[in-house]
Amino acid sequence: MSPVRKIGVLTGGGDAPGLNAVIRAVVKAACNAGIEVVGLEDSFDGLLDPSRTRRLTPRDVTGILRLGGTILGTTNRGNPFEYPLDGPTGKIDYSERCIETFGQMQLDALVVIGGDGTLNIAHQFYLKGIPLVGVPKTIDNDIWGTTSCFGFDTAVSFAADAIDRLHSTAEAHRRIMVVEVMGRYAGWIALHGGIAGGADVILIPEIPYDFDIVVERLRAREAFGAKFSVVVVAEGAKPIGGKVTLLAEARAGVVERLGGAGALVARELEHRTGKESRYVVLGHLQRGGTPTAFDRVLATRFGGKAVELLTRGDFGTMVANNPPDLVPIPLADVVGKTKTVPLDYDLLTTARAIGVAFGD
Ligand code: F6P
């Protein structure tokens, strides 16, 4: 019999389609194993205040499989080890208070569903004695140690659909259409979405680009008879020797906000080619709405595996997808790292073989 009788579950960081599917699987698997589940609201904030918690039963999670967002709420300003103070004095550490609440609520363990920032906080709590298991979440697909994260497939499908639609208007107007996608410092969404949507040029953070080479590619297309082009730009892409474009600098407790790469590329390409260019930023549309079937399945597997690991006492780990299996890997091996697109990734090689340009 597992010593785990009561667990808490929380979702942290930016939302990703499939969060509710994980919560549902955790609740159903745990309750079926005789474990009580408490939902903590708004990431670790729910551990600061017991009034922001609620018991979750299978009845509470009925019908949420296909819902976007998270029924528990989330925040990416919620690091209890360093809550930003409004004044100039910096930060305050509320982690001990969270640990007290964990004890008062008689929780035995936590399931922490989140991206790199949230998993980092989870690891710090684990080092302070809280038994827990992490579940990787991000549309960016950049979490170290897992081949995939739920949310990524939904984001890629959305991007591919948007690129499909942009093709016809690009062709009708004989324009260059630039599409900016999310992904932070990794080009997974741009590469997969761009290939699925048939983009001509894909600019990713891992390969700084040269405008002259991009223009050369667009001219070669014209010489070949093509009257329009579609360029996908990852928000973290930058020209050789240049910097990423930011919408806002980092400030206390908040990471820098990327954005503007698409506008920059469209402006420069119009200037250099003389062809009309337009840009579209897909933004948070990539994170909203219902998860794809693939993400629902992956999220359900992650939730079920997390409960299995808790009952086995495999704490301080993250569920990782290592096809065909889900395996536990130590959080210590995951945190502080980013899984970027490897330059020898076979999809990159194939993309180049079929004539997609990366501006290098
Ligand atoms: O990490 C997921 C992500 O959607 C990134 O792709 C993007 O840069 C960032 O979050 C946007 O964050 P926010 O929701 O704070 O605007």
Side-chain angles (χ1 to χ4, degrees):
M1 181 79 182
S2 158
V4 174
R5 299 276 169 79
K6 187 176 178 186
I7 63 172
V9 57
L10 66 86
T11 54
D15 67 332
L19 277 170
N20 285 322
V22 183
I23 296 169
R24 173 180 175 269
V26 166
V27 171
K28 290 195 171 201
C31 292
N32 285 340
I35 299 168
E36 187 180 334
V37 183
V38 176
L40 309 171
E41 289 175 6
D42 302 336
S43 189
F44 291 95
D45 287 6
L47 263 190
L48 280 174
D49 174 5
S51 74
R52 288 164 77 183
T53 65
R54 61 181 191 271
R55 187 166 176 194
L56 293 176
T57 66
R59 184 184 287 245
D60 299 307
V61 294
T62 296
I64 70 169
L65 176 63
R66 63 181 187 284
L67 291 187
T70 160
I71 59 163
L72 293 174
T74 187
T75 169
N76 36 18
R77 274 179 70 83
N79 183 351
F81 288 87
E82 42 184 78
Y83 269 100
L85 292 176
D86 283 339
T89 40
K91 300 166 177 173
I92 189 158
D93 183 346
Y94 277 119
S95 60
E96 288 304 327
R97 207 162 109 194
C98 293
I99 293 170
E100 271 167 37
T101 314
F102 179 87
Q104 278 161 13
M105 294 183 67
Q106 299 182 314
L107 294 172
D108 297 312
L110 293 179
V111 175
V112 177
I113 311 165
D116 48 354
T118 305
L119 294 173
N120 208 329
I121 298 167
H123 183 234
Q124 291 181 63
F125 274 121
Y126 172 67
L127 295 178
K128 287 189 145 220
I130 301 273
L132 54 84
V133 167
V135 173
K137 166 250 45 159
T138 173
I139 64 164
D140 302 339
N141 198 35
D142 61 352
I143 296 181
W144 186 267
T146 181
T147 58
S148 49
C149 292
F150 65 87
F152 174 62
D153 185 66
T154 308
V156 167
S157 303
F158 180 84
D161 183 48
I163 297 165
D164 282 351
R165 287 165 188 268
L166 291 168
H167 261 97
S168 56
T169 172
E171 185 166 19
H173 287 266
R174 302 178 174 211
R175 284 174 173 154
I176 298 171
M177 193 59 83
V178 176
V179 190
E180 180 184 309
V181 299
M182 282 184 164
R184 294 197 71 75
Y185 309 105
W188 296 104
I189 299 178
L191 179 60
H192 282 243
I195 294 297
D200 307 300
V201 176
I202 302 175
L203 305 179
I204 60 175
E206 293 83 350
I207 306 176
Y209 59 88
D210 180 335
F211 274 116
D212 290 339
I213 294 176
V214 176
V215 168
E216 220 172 81
R217 169 72 182 122
L218 299 184
R219 293 225 164 99
R221 263 179 65 74
E222 288 217 6
F224 191 66
K227 302 279 187 259
F228 72 98
S229 290
V230 174
V231 178
V232 173
V233 183
E235 61 181 358
K238 52 179 186 286
I240 293 170
K243 289 186 177 158
V244 292
T245 41
L246 293 183
L247 289 179
E249 302 276 346
R251 62 197 158 87
V254 186
V255 296
E256 62 187 15
R257 275 178 66 207
L258 299 177
L264 172 89
V265 169
R267 197 171 53 239
E268 195 63 28
L269 292 182
E270 182 166 289
H271 174 68
R272 289 177 185 236
T273 63
K275 259 181 104 64
E276 249 196 301
S277 304
R278 295 285 190 272
Y279 70 91
V280 175
V281 180
L282 299 188
H284 293 80
L285 290 167
Q286 293 159 98
R287 272 170 35 186
T290 188
T292 58
F294 179 90
D295 279 338
R296 295 180 203 189
V297 172
L298 184 62
T300 301
R301 292 175 69 209
F302 276 170
K305 190 73 179 182
V307 172
E308 184 194 315
L309 295 181
L310 288 183
T311 55
R312 280 200 335 228
D314 226 336
F315 303 128
T317 57
M318 179 190 84
V319 183
N321 190 15
N322 183 9
D325 302 314
L326 293 186
V327 294
I329 56 171
L331 276 171
D333 292 351
V334 172
V335 297
K337 297 180 190 160
T338 303
K339 185 188 73 181
T340 53
V341 176
L343 294 180
D344 61 354
Y345 184 38
D346 73 289
L347 184 56
L348 266 182
T349 313
T350 300
R352 290 186 193 278
I354 63 171
V356 176
F358 292 88
D360 62 334

